[in-house]
Amino acid sequence: MDSEWAPPGIDVSKPHPARRYDYWLGGKDNFEADRESAELVAEAFPSVQFSALENRAFLRRVVTFLAAEAGIRQYLDIGTGLPTAGNVHEIAQDIAPDSRIVYVDNDPIVAVHARTLLNSAPEGKTAYLEADVREPQTILHHPDLLATLDLTRPVALMLVAVMHFIVDEEQPYELVRELCRALPSGSYLVMSHATSDHLTPEDIAESEEANKRSGIPFRLRSTAEFAPFFDGLEIEPPGIGSIMAWRPEGWRAHPRPEAVSMLGAVARIP
């Protein structure tokens, strides 16, 4: 996308996670700064594009489970990113047309494409909020969220490939707990997160340097650091592990987990 096409309020000189992710997924809604940032990360982690694709596949399998098996009809998808094939509402409403979905992102260009996200089945409803996961109460009390979701009934909180952008100083665990506390029993927390599990100390140092140069704060977390996000929750089988191992479909050959380096889990709020 050329800079002259940028909607008002978008600084195309600074990379953004949603647009960088769009680039890895083969989208066109990204700018030179996003592509440069993406390539810097790819220098340290060459399979990052494959990781992004596997993350979308994980999202699809999880929403299918939630809609078809867990009976969830409400979804709060924070950090949704730019629309691509297989958005949450498309998957959920294909199974249960009355599903309701609220999308949240802090990139103004996502708002430009919100009409795609808001293409709901007539039996259900969707809404889009321009907000940030760092401000949970702004999200939870937003009138458009309250007009779309009934927070007295179970909700699936989707934090897919989001919390690794929240560094330790921003209290990531408390942010997730604050969001979960607002949801009733029977709700679910869904997370995926980039991991350092498969990296050597040299790899980690190289990755940290690449992330600094990319212009987007990023925090890899080990399984031991990822697990506390689910403290007090009932983790669904197969538990915490590679996103590729979460209810894989068929016998499709996968690369080694280190080629994806993404942890994932789904947990029920008791």
Side-chain angles (χ1 to χ4, degrees):
M1 177 178 284
D2 296 330
S3 60
E4 61 265 27
W5 294 345
I10 295 178
D11 185 351
V12 300
S13 69
K14 296 180 179 179
H16 189 279
R19 300 194 300 266
R20 190 172 71 179
Y21 193 67
D22 174 73
Y23 173 70
W24 283 326
L25 290 175
K28 298 179 180 179
D29 294 300
N30 50 77
F31 302 98
E32 183 177 357
D34 306 306
R35 296 188 287 273
E36 289 178 352
S37 175
E39 292 300 333
L40 283 169
V41 173
E43 288 179 12
F45 185 39
S47 60
V48 65
Q49 183 178 19
F50 187 84
S51 179
L53 292 169
E54 282 293 324
N55 194 63
R56 291 298 294 189
F58 168 74
L59 172 72
R60 177 175 51 79
R61 297 196 304 274
V62 168
V63 175
T64 299
F65 158 75
L66 291 170
E69 297 185 39
I72 296 297
R73 299 294 179 263
Q74 302 191 112
Y75 301 80
L76 175 55
D77 183 4
I78 301 178
T80 182
L82 286 150
T84 186
N87 296 297
V88 171
H89 76 282
E90 294 170 325
I91 303 164
Q93 291 182 346
D94 186 55
I95 297 168
D98 60 337
S99 297
R100 291 171 165 252
I101 298 89
V102 170
Y103 292 106
V104 181
D105 206 286
N106 66 352
D107 183 7
I109 202 170
V110 179
V112 174
H113 293 272
R115 62 187 180 277
T116 302
L117 292 172
L118 301 180
N119 185 23
S120 172
E123 301 92 331
K125 189 174 182 180
T126 61
Y128 173 79
L129 318 179
E130 189 171 340
D132 196 301
V133 70
R134 298 172 184 84
E135 299 177 349
Q137 293 305 314
T138 299
I139 296 171
L140 293 167
H141 291 97
H142 195 288
D144 290 345
L145 180 144
L146 298 175
T148 307
L149 304 181
D150 178 356
L151 296 185
T152 68
R153 299 175 59 203
V155 176
L157 171 61
M158 315 287 295
L159 295 170
V160 177
V162 171
M163 296 309 294
H164 44 226
F165 296 112
I166 307 301
V167 296
D168 294 345
E169 293 78 10
E170 296 172 306
Q171 300 182 306
Y173 302 107
E174 180 54 34
L175 290 173
V176 174
R177 291 189 193 102
E178 189 172 348
L179 288 163
C180 287
R181 282 195 296 266
L183 305 179
S185 174
S187 296
Y188 283 81
L189 170 64
V190 177
M191 289 185 67
S192 64
H193 195 297
T195 184
S196 58
D197 281 0
H198 310 289
L199 303 180
T200 65
E202 293 77 13
D203 291 334
I204 293 173
E206 184 179 358
S207 176
E208 289 176 347
E209 178 61 28
N211 287 325
K212 288 178 184 177
R213 293 167 59 206
S214 76
I216 296 177
F218 197 87
R219 173 67 158 85
L220 294 168
R221 292 187 172 95
S222 65
T223 296
E225 293 171 311
F226 181 60
F229 283 114
F230 300 92
D231 283 354
L233 307 185
E234 301 168 355
I235 299 177
E236 290 286 335
I240 295 172
S242 169
I243 57 173
M244 296 187 301
W246 202 91
R247 302 193 175 204
E249 298 169 335
W251 295 98
R252 183 164 64 93
H254 286 295
R256 295 169 299 170
E258 53 265 39
V260 173
S261 287
M262 289 281 285
L263 297 170
V266 177
R268 184 180 182 275
I269 297 174

